[in-house]
Amino acid sequence: MDTFYTDLLCVGAGLAGERVAVAAASEGFSTICLSIVPPRRSHSSAAQGGMQASLGNCCMGEGDCPDVHFADTVKGSDWGCDQECARLFAETAPIAVREMAFWGIPWNRVVAGEGTYYKGGKQYQKIEKKEMEGTITARDFGGTAKWRTCYTSDGTGHTLLFTMDNKVVELGVTVHDRVDAISLIHDGETCMGVVARDLKTGNLRAYLAKATLIATGGYGRVYRETTNAVINDGSGVIIALDTGIVPFGNPEAVQFHPTGIVPTNILVTEGCRGDGGTLKDVNGERFMHIYEPGKQELASRDVVSRWMTHHIRIGKGVPSPYGPHLWLDIRHLGAAHIKTKLRDVEEICNEFLDVDPITQMIPVRPAHHYSMGGVRTNKDGAAYGLKGLFAAGEAACWDMHGFNRLGGNSLAETVVVGRIVGEKISEFLKGYDVNFKTDVVRDAVRKQEARIAALIAGRDGKESVYAVRNAIQDALMEGVGIFRNEADLKKAVDTLQVVYERSKKVGIHSRVVGVNPEVAMALRIQGMCRIALCVAYAALQRTESRGAHAREDYPERNDRDWLKRTLATWKEGDNLPTLNYEKPSKVWELPPGERGYGVAKIIYSEDPEVIGASKPATN
């Protein structure tokens, strides 16, 4: 068995993992990145619309600043975020955007003079100042007071990831791709690295590190209808949850994006609506202005997704063989705009739908998109429970998003928080030594060898791993979707408990030693079911509506009883997670109030520590 030693091990080589690696390598620390796929094929490359930062360069962003970005982020989170983290993020974002420009990102720039833009399907005029020409520009996104989403057409994630990967190569960071981390190595107090499986040969490896970072992205593949790539099955959360020590923060907080295309659920960017695209129903009529007169199509994602679902429920959806959907109309933006600033959307529609968005409307409906929950960390990115373990990006609950993420804040989070956490890990490494206990390493490896041998021999049963996965996805889609209620959630929990028992009886039908996706799936199917149970059970227990967690039987946001973060852990032998709670923020810079969009039904907090929370905040 190969054993590798390093100062920092980054499990995941998307934007968050690579940005942390860049920070550590810049300080001279040896760094290894592990990735299931080549780094430039990480899911970060699929991000389209842009990255939020309060530069205030374009005329529609004039007057923007970190204070406004902070307020938008807190309101977007429905006061579920850690306000210290949201402040750190908002203050650092402009620095990170300019740093990425220095490294080579071809940000779209301000063009001085008269121009046009669309809002609600109507055309308006704007004038960009001559003195701002050539500075980084921005587009409009949902839930924001200013235009601040910096972009490169609609391929922002692609350009960011390729530029970041160039920096990784420049600094000599070691990358091991097609390698899957299947277990953390720890002694109950200290994390020492991971046991990983070579996806080409099937051989196990041990990676020993002073600091280990989980940056594996989200867990969208526990849902059937998701915009997530096939690699986003929660592998990082799974290995943390398997410790029984590290908590899974806010598992019930999952976001549905308004515009997944039908039937493939591939995302078309919020930039479509930010640039003036409109949502239409079966009659070809707009409807968001009825429900949200102010923000219209650019309310926050949770709000837009709910109104779209409501509109379909009342019979205004477009019938199709794949179920009812709505239309996204960007035709009025014109061919020149679409072919330059929304060119990826054009390609996706042409290739996957045989639809030309220049002349035809795009069939869309909400699809699972993002996980606000993840490995719970403090503001330095250090995971709760195990020294030497860190997390960043969508895999982490650093918790600047709370119960709903604003568009553009995720791509920004990878780079901004990757920068912050990378610096903190570098500080940690400067004064830290660890003893790699050979018995702990040996036992961790042997445990994984035994798991694989049992699967291949079919000792525990012959259940199909794919049938179990489909059952997990069906249970979540049917019971833990955009709208939730006690009966459906209880049914989902009960169903998933039965599925969890089935997941323990999975056997392998393919006997290939090396490349074997069935083995890879089988090794994490119990973990995927645990994630699903954490999502469903935490949602059942949270008897309120907050952000993306919308309970039809509890429509109020209940700050009195539920202004707190869920912490889920999984004890060995249990068939349900253990749920604990903590206050979402130590600092209440912006007291809880109305968001300024969506239906405001609030039971205000009576906690004296939440300053001013007994009265609505001024919007």
Side-chain angles (χ1 to χ4, degrees):
M1 185 189 68
D2 293 330
T3 302
F4 300 88
Y5 296 87
T6 185
D7 292 322
L8 171 63
L9 176 68
C10 296
V11 182
L15 276 170
E18 288 206 329
R19 184 60 186 87
V20 172
V22 164
S26 297
E27 293 292 324
F29 294 107
S30 62
T31 306
I32 297 176
C33 286
L34 303 186
S35 182
I36 295 174
V37 294
R40 297 187 183 202
R41 295 293 175 265
S42 298
H43 196 45
S44 298
S45 66
Q48 298 168 12
M51 169 181 173
Q52 284 205 37
S54 56
L55 301 180
N57 293 332
C58 66
C59 65
M60 302 301 289
E62 191 170 341
D64 200 11
C65 65
D67 289 340
V68 180
H69 189 184
F70 166 80
D72 285 347
T73 299
V74 174
K75 292 175 184 178
S77 79
D78 219 354
W79 274 269
C81 74
D82 185 320
Q83 294 195 20
E84 279 190 281
C85 290
R87 171 57 72 181
L88 276 171
F89 166 74
E91 296 284 352
T92 308
I95 300 169
V97 164
R98 294 186 177 102
E99 183 176 57
M100 292 306 299
F102 181 72
W103 289 352
I105 290 290
W107 295 114
N108 280 53
R109 302 281 173 160
V110 172
V111 177
E114 293 187 10
T116 61
Y117 69 97
Y118 286 86
K119 182 177 181 180
K122 297 180 181 179
Q123 190 179 72
Y124 297 88
Q125 298 295 121
K126 64 184 178 73
I127 300 176
E128 298 290 357
K129 294 180 178 178
K130 179 66 177 175
E131 59 265 30
M132 302 309 293
E133 185 164 25
T135 57
I136 299 169
T137 193
R139 59 171 30 130
D140 201 5
F141 252 45
T144 62
K146 302 286 185 179
W147 289 22
R148 75 167 67 88
T149 305
C150 310
Y151 63 99
T152 57
S153 295
D154 59 343
T156 315
H158 180 97
T159 53
L160 280 167
L161 185 59
F162 274 54
T163 300
M164 192 73 75
D165 197 53
N166 285 343
K167 196 70 177 176
V168 162
V169 173
E170 175 190 324
L171 292 169
V173 173
T174 300
V175 176
H176 290 179
D177 60 23
R178 298 176 180 87
V179 175
D180 185 13
I182 60 175
S183 175
L184 290 175
I185 300 171
H186 69 96
D187 61 3
E189 295 180 356
T190 303
C191 181
M192 305 171 199
V194 304
V195 178
R197 181 171 171 269
D198 187 325
L199 294 176
K200 301 187 290 290
T201 66
N203 295 333
L204 295 185
R205 301 175 178 178
Y207 288 87
L208 304 180
K210 291 181 178 181
T212 301
L213 173 83
I214 293 175
T216 52
Y219 44 89
R221 281 289 156 174
V222 297
Y223 280 83
R224 184 178 65 251
E225 295 177 9
T226 179
T227 66
N228 283 198
V230 293
I231 60 174
N232 290 95
D233 49 21
S235 58
V237 173
I238 288 169
I239 61 175
L241 202 56
D242 281 351
T243 65
I245 301 168
V246 179
F248 179 5
N250 282 348
E252 68 270 42
V254 292
Q255 182 183 83
F256 284 71
H257 195 289
T259 53
I261 63 173
V262 179
T264 65
N265 298 303
I266 297 171
L267 177 72
V268 287
T269 176
E270 190 164 315
C272 291
R273 287 172 290 127
D275 288 4
T278 57
L279 294 167
K280 294 183 176 179
D281 61 20
V282 65
N283 300 317
E285 297 175 346
R286 290 186 61 229
F287 56 89
M288 279 305 301
H289 64 291
I290 300 171
Y291 303 124
E292 293 292 333
K295 290 290 188 179
Q296 303 180 50
E297 277 84 358
L298 287 176
S300 63
R301 288 176 178 176
D302 61 315
V303 172
V304 177
S305 292
R306 283 196 291 275
W307 285 127
M308 289 175 70
T309 303
H310 168 75
H311 208 62
I312 290 172
R313 280 179 168 184
I314 63 174
K316 296 296 182 73
V318 182
S320 85
Y322 312 102
H325 64 76
L326 297 164
W327 297 114
L328 174 63
D329 191 0
I330 60 172
R331 295 173 297 178
H332 53 284
L333 302 183
H337 184 102
I338 293 170
K339 285 183 173 294
T340 53
K341 294 185 178 180
L342 296 172
R343 57 193 182 191
D344 279 8
V345 169
E346 182 190 21
E347 183 178 357
I348 288 167
C349 292
N350 287 336
E351 295 297 328
F352 293 95
L353 296 176
D354 195 24
V355 164
D356 179 6
I358 296 171
T359 60
Q360 297 171 279
M361 293 190 289
I362 306 166
V364 297
R365 69 174 168 226
H368 174 277
H369 178 61
Y370 188 84
S371 312
M372 276 77 75
V375 177
R376 179 68 185 122
T377 74
N378 64 16
K379 63 183 179 182
D380 295 339
Y384 287 17
L386 286 179
K387 190 175 183 180
L389 181 64
F390 297 81
E394 191 176 351
C397 182
W398 191 69
D399 214 15
M400 53 165 279
H401 301 306
F403 274 74
N404 179 67
R405 170 177 73 80
L406 294 184
N409 265 2
S410 176
L411 202 52
E413 179 193 20
T414 60
V415 179
V416 174
V417 182
R419 188 181 197 273
I420 293 169
V421 172
E423 290 174 355
K424 292 299 181 181
I425 289 177
S426 296
E427 292 175 12
F428 171 82
L429 288 171
K430 288 175 183 177
Y432 182 66
D433 287 313
V434 61
N435 294 318
F436 298 119
K437 301 174 182 178
T438 54
D439 58 332
V440 174
V441 177
R442 182 180 63 247
D443 290 347
V445 173
R446 285 179 178 172
K447 183 177 180 180
Q448 299 311 311
E449 288 174 339
R451 281 181 68 201
I452 295 169
L455 285 169
I456 293 174
R459 292 174 194 158
D460 300 318
K462 291 291 184 180
E463 278 274 8
S464 164
V465 67
Y466 300 110
V468 173
R469 180 200 61 188
N470 292 345
I472 293 170
Q473 294 175 336
D474 289 344
L476 285 181
M477 288 302 303
E478 292 168 12
V480 201
I482 292 174
F483 289 103
R484 303 167 177 184
N485 61 69
E486 184 171 4
D488 288 345
L489 290 169
K490 184 69 167 63
K491 182 181 177 181
V493 171
D494 292 343
T495 300
L496 285 166
Q497 285 182 293
V498 175
V499 176
Y500 184 48
E501 293 305 313
R502 289 175 58 192
S503 74
K504 298 175 184 178
K505 300 174 183 177
V506 162
I508 301 300
H509 296 79
S510 171
R511 294 293 186 267
V512 177
V513 176
V515 180
N516 193 331
E518 188 182 14
V519 172
M521 175 66 71
L523 284 171
R524 62 175 54 121
I525 193 66
Q526 288 186 43
M528 290 177 69
C529 198
R530 290 188 194 113
I531 285 177
L533 275 164
C534 286
V535 172
Y537 188 58
L540 175 62
Q541 298 304 310
R542 183 173 285 273
T543 52
E544 67 155 355
S545 292
R546 185 180 298 275
H549 174 68
R551 288 285 297 259
E552 293 175 291
D553 46 353
Y554 294 96
E556 300 87 4
R557 190 188 83 202
N558 187 345
D559 292 346
R560 182 190 63 207
D561 302 320
W562 284 103
L563 196 61
K564 52 191 177 183
R565 182 185 299 109
T566 306
L567 298 179
T569 52
W570 199 286
K571 306 303 180 184
E572 189 173 355
D574 287 356
N575 62 359
L576 279 176
T578 298
L579 302 184
N580 293 294
Y581 297 93
E582 66 174 354
K583 289 187 177 181
S585 191
K586 295 178 181 178
V587 175
W588 294 98
E589 187 175 340
L590 186 64
E594 294 184 13
R595 301 167 84 187
Y597 44 82
V599 179
K601 297 178 180 179
I602 305 170
I603 300 172
Y604 283 99
S605 174
E606 298 171 358
D607 186 345
E609 292 185 16
V610 184
I611 301 171
S614 59
K615 298 179 181 179
T618 302
N619 289 297

